[in-house]
Amino acid sequence: MDTIFQYAAYCVITLLLVVLGSRLVFNPLKAYPGPFLARLTNGYAGWHAIKGDIHLVTYRDHLKYGPVVQQAPNRLVFNTLTAIQDIYLNPRVAKARIYANARFRNTPSVFTALDRADHRRRRRVVGQAISERSMREFEPTMMSQIDVFLVQLLHSSRQGQVVEMTSRCKWLAMDVIGLLAFGASWKTQTEETLRFLPKVFAALNPRVYMFMNWPKTHKIDPGVQWLVRGRIERFRGTTTATAMCTIFYYLSRNPSAYARLASEVRTTFSWGSEIRNGQDLTGCKYLRAVIDESMRICPPTPGVMWRERDPLSNEPLVVDGHVIPPGTLVGVGTYSLMHNPDYFPEPFAFRPERWLEGDAETPEQKETRANMRRAFIPFILGDRSCAGKAVAYLEMSLTVAKTMWYFDFERAPGQAGELGSGRKGLTGGRDRPNEYQLYDWFMADHEGPNLVFQPRGKHWEELT
Ligand code: HEM
């Protein structure tokens, strides 16, 4: 009996070695550097997708292996401006088929549609909902939700409470997207009933991300599809929450940026009610610089947006001069590129000023800033870039400007104020104490920051 088991074990081990060995020997990407495990199996990316640190792993792998890295047996990730051009702005490149694994009930949405005509049709419908005109009509509704957010902050400040911003910003973002996309008033900001939804979603997110990074695992979990049926689209707006939490985190730790933004908002407007979409708001250049710097340093979708050669194209795909073998997925990591010091000097420093035009810039300085703009990809680029960019900017600008108008805020005292930060001694790239920590589950998750708010003068009376 023992010998039969031994024989079976030998067979299995030999088979495994043959399969893995042939993957290494016959892999069309074997000339590209990358971690050994990544060459053998999608499990490398899949494991880090579950852990939520694949953005950090991609960043680390670029430091180790250079601007092009093999991240799975059939995936190459790039870290250059030219790759952005060759991949996302290339009409012969399509969204990778693995996006089908993010579908629910196997029904395509604007986000997961792969057929070009189907996508165009869906994108048109979304475009109508968030056209400039619709946004003008929607602005008062968005504003009413932001006012609820401010009133809640006022209550907390009166009770001397520490405010955990991830929950507050997610509730705000959810209530806004509920009204925009479904005309539904979810009232998560003021009522407990539906607050479980972002938690359920956050818990399920890593598995969906794993299905995209390790496609074989998709077969094992039909239960997930039933649990979240149709809800994922509703939560796309929570990316805005990530950006807002990042803004509040870095403002509470950078007194000069805080002071400059406070001064801009408080001198541009005379009343909180004047803060609305229009020239005055778009004229707040430092506000825009703070928002952009926050999305650079903590992109709300920090991973790789995978693409592949359009199945209908016969021409070879060339990225950064590399002829890409058919069937290969390619992409650029948003976190990695936006921390590439070639485009963003001192990439971990929060410096909104880097986005502002200097008084007498030399041609080289102009060129550097133009490249920085090109490498700014939180919404990605091309025909599959974010459809909600304008909504996101409006919501972030109004929320941050109004909060700065009505309140002063600072980091909560003691240990509570550290929530959301990296820490010395942590591994896997989480050891930078002043970096807001993201968990990359396609849409990032996070905690904190914990802040304490003080109403400013008598301005709060406008809110009540
Ligand atoms: C700061 C906030 C946001 C960021 C950083 C962001 C980022 C992105 C990115 C990177 C993509 C491309 C995903 C991919 O290729 O896999 C995307 C797609 C998309 N986003 Fe956003 N997003 C934000 C807010 C929003 C909001 C508020 C909405 C809805 C109103 C929205 C709706 C969409 C849709 C519908 C797509 C799919 C577009 C397509 O495939 O044609 N996003 N977003």
Side-chain angles (χ1 to χ4, degrees), residues 102-105 174 177 181-182 186 194 196-198 200-201 204-205 223-238 443:
R103 285 181 189 159
F104 295 98
R105 290 184 166 173
M174 266 189 73
I177 210 73
F182 306 96
W186 290 338
L194 291 178
F196 70 94
L197 281 177
V200 170
F201 180 67
L204 294 169
N205 229 357
V224 173
Q225 307 244 356
W226 181 83
L227 274 171
V228 291
R229 47 190 188 278
R231 290 192 188 121
I232 193 164
E233 288 304 310
R234 300 183 188 185
F235 289 91
R236 288 210 59 79
T238 58
M443 280 175 264

Side-chain angles (χ1 to χ4, degrees), residues 158-208:
R158 285 195 171 140
Q159 289 161 18
Q161 279 173 358
V162 168
V163 181
E164 200 276 306
M165 295 303 284
T166 288
S167 310
R168 297 292 175 104
C169 293
K170 277 188 184 175
W171 296 336
L172 167 62
M174 266 189 73
D175 287 355
V176 168
I177 210 73
L179 287 160
L180 176 67
F182 306 96
S185 178
W186 290 338
K187 297 193 178 138
T188 59
Q189 296 203 87
T190 48
E191 292 174 13
E192 296 276 346
T193 326
L194 291 178
R195 281 186 185 170
F196 70 94
L197 281 177
K199 287 190 190 139
V200 170
F201 180 67
L204 294 169
N205 229 357
R207 294 156 84 174
V208 176

